[in-house]
Amino acid sequence: MSYIDQIKEKARQDKRTIVLPETNDKRVLIAAANIIKEGIANIIMVGDAEKINGGAIWLEVDLDGVTIVDPRTCDKLEEYVNLLYETRKAKGMTLEKAREILLTDYLTFGVVMVKANDADGMVAGCCHATADVLRPSLQILKTAPGVKLVSGFFILDVPDCELGADGTFLFADCGLNQDPTAEELAAIADTSAKSFKTLVGAKPIIAMLSHSTKGSAKHALVDKVVEATRIAHEEYPSLCLDGELQTDAALIPKVAKAKAPGSEVAGRANVLIFPNLDAGNIGYKLVERLGKAEAYGPMLQGIAKPVNDLSRGCSWEDIVGVVALTAVQSQLS
């Protein structure tokens, strides 16, 4: 059974309700129909029912079982308006502005549904930038208790690969923090370990990546990763973590013996923490496109309730996968 099939099975065992607000995109309609067909989650779609159903007919997909909520006719609109107002009034929100936002911004409407416990999570981003998905999520849901920052990660399932957790890896941060500090890299490692344990089930073995291994190069960029490793050991002592490590030293046992002898991580890593967003984003896309890996994300970690982003180049199959992952996240949140 593939990794994503295992996640779908977990999602079916404790079915959750996920909001899909981007209902003007055909990929979302196709994904919603398949999610219902596979029994992965209950789905709420936000928008005009006539347009959504018309799109489904045109695409020849069956949305029977999907709940469609039109903000204009929603019987909980006033409750949501008050919830948004109370959450944001210290920032100048008014009741009138809250109503206007909820009637026109489906992403915010979906986040408010999650805040009100009328849904367990939200998936969006196939036609919005990450910032558009993240902004209302942070403003309304806030960060989870004890979390220092929100970060983005991908789960990559590499075919015919014995490395990592039977070919499954977590890469972070690949979609959010452009140039994290040493303290932020350490925090990303901690939340990534928790995400890996939740979504993969194996023990997280974390490599703090660099272009240097154990002092093989001298540079401020290397210093940052060395310091991040020190902070992570100090603040999160239970983590199985090491750095700085080059990617081959982190993954390949033979290379690890030569470059980082004695490391409990080198040659065994399944969680890869990249030094900046350039490296993370480039790295995951190389593995996805050249290594033929299945890539799920960018997932978001550190928000009080699960909200996950999608690549704007995603397929409908990718949306199904991220919904399944979001449902599993919500089971444990």
Side-chain angles (χ1 to χ4, degrees):
M1 184 182 292
S2 71
Y3 167 71
I4 199 61
D5 286 337
Q6 294 175 44
I7 287 293
K8 288 178 180 179
E9 186 57 35
K10 287 183 182 179
R12 292 186 192 100
Q13 290 171 7
D14 183 10
K15 195 178 292 187
R16 297 303 172 111
T17 299
I18 307 299
V19 180
L20 299 177
E22 295 172 309
T23 49
N24 61 335
D25 192 295
K26 67 179 183 180
R27 293 169 294 177
V28 175
L29 300 181
I30 297 169
N34 280 274
I35 291 162
I36 294 298
K37 181 180 179 180
E38 293 187 51
I40 296 167
N42 300 313
I43 292 296
I44 296 174
M45 304 187 79
V46 181
D48 184 312
E50 185 175 348
K51 290 182 179 178
I52 293 170
N53 287 321
I57 292 170
W58 182 71
L59 292 167
E60 298 182 344
V61 297
D62 184 3
L63 294 183
D64 186 35
V66 170
T67 299
I68 299 174
V69 176
D70 186 336
R72 299 170 301 176
T73 58
C74 176
D75 58 7
K76 286 195 170 184
L77 177 62
E78 293 308 311
E79 177 184 329
Y80 294 161
V81 167
N82 285 318
L83 179 56
L84 180 56
Y85 165 70
E86 290 293 336
T87 304
R88 299 289 296 160
K89 65 182 179 182
K91 299 295 184 180
M93 181 65 69
T94 65
L95 286 169
E96 292 75 16
K97 184 64 175 177
R99 183 175 290 102
E100 178 187 345
I101 290 171
L102 289 172
L103 288 173
T104 57
D105 182 351
Y106 291 171
L107 266 67
T108 299
F109 191 94
V111 171
V112 171
M113 291 192 78
V114 176
K115 176 75 171 180
N117 295 317
D118 290 329
D120 299 301
M122 186 179 86
V123 172
C126 65
C127 50
H128 287 86
T130 295
D132 295 327
V133 178
L134 188 60
R135 189 180 305 108
S137 303
L138 288 176
Q139 289 175 344
I140 298 164
L141 298 174
K142 316 291 186 185
T143 56
V147 172
K148 294 183 178 180
L149 83 164
V150 174
S151 56
F153 69 93
F154 275 81
I155 296 289
L156 285 108
D157 188 27
V158 185
D160 303 317
C161 178
E162 296 179 355
L163 303 176
D166 295 323
T168 302
F169 300 84
L170 186 149
F171 286 15
D173 183 333
C174 302
L176 192 57
N177 295 287
Q178 290 189 326
D179 189 16
T181 65
E183 292 80 2
E184 289 171 338
L185 280 177
I188 290 168
D190 180 52
T191 50
S192 296
K194 294 172 183 174
S195 293
F196 187 83
K197 185 65 176 177
T198 296
L199 297 174
V200 180
K203 177 183 177 180
I205 303 172
I206 307 158
M208 308 296 282
L209 296 183
S210 172
H211 68 274
S212 169
T213 296
K214 299 297 183 181
S216 65
K218 304 296 182 184
H219 194 277
L221 292 174
V222 177
D223 295 341
K224 181 177 78 168
V225 178
V226 171
E227 178 64 5
T229 302
R230 185 195 67 77
I231 293 169
H233 282 311
E234 183 177 290
E235 296 194 7
Y236 315 106
S238 64
L239 294 181
C240 180
L241 175 148
D242 199 10
E244 87 282 18
L245 294 171
Q246 292 165 295
T247 304
D248 57 354
L251 297 176
I252 310 301
K254 184 177 180 179
V255 177
K257 288 180 181 179
K259 291 187 174 183
S263 171
E264 65 174 344
V265 169
R268 303 172 56 230
N270 49 36
V271 175
L272 305 184
I273 306 301
F274 291 83
N276 57 41
L277 188 58
D278 277 343
N281 193 270
I282 291 166
Y284 103 76
K285 287 181 177 176
L286 283 172
V287 174
E288 179 186 21
R289 301 301 181 181
L290 300 184
K292 308 297 184 183
E294 295 292 332
Y296 301 98
M299 308 281 288
L300 299 176
Q301 56 190 2
I303 301 175
K305 293 187 177 183
V307 173
N308 283 312
D309 192 20
L310 294 162
S311 168
R312 278 174 283 180
C314 70
S315 66
W316 69 261
E317 292 94 341
D318 295 331
I319 299 173
V320 173
V322 173
V323 166
L325 287 160
T326 305
V328 173
Q329 276 184 314
S330 75
Q331 292 172 356
L332 301 169
S333 64

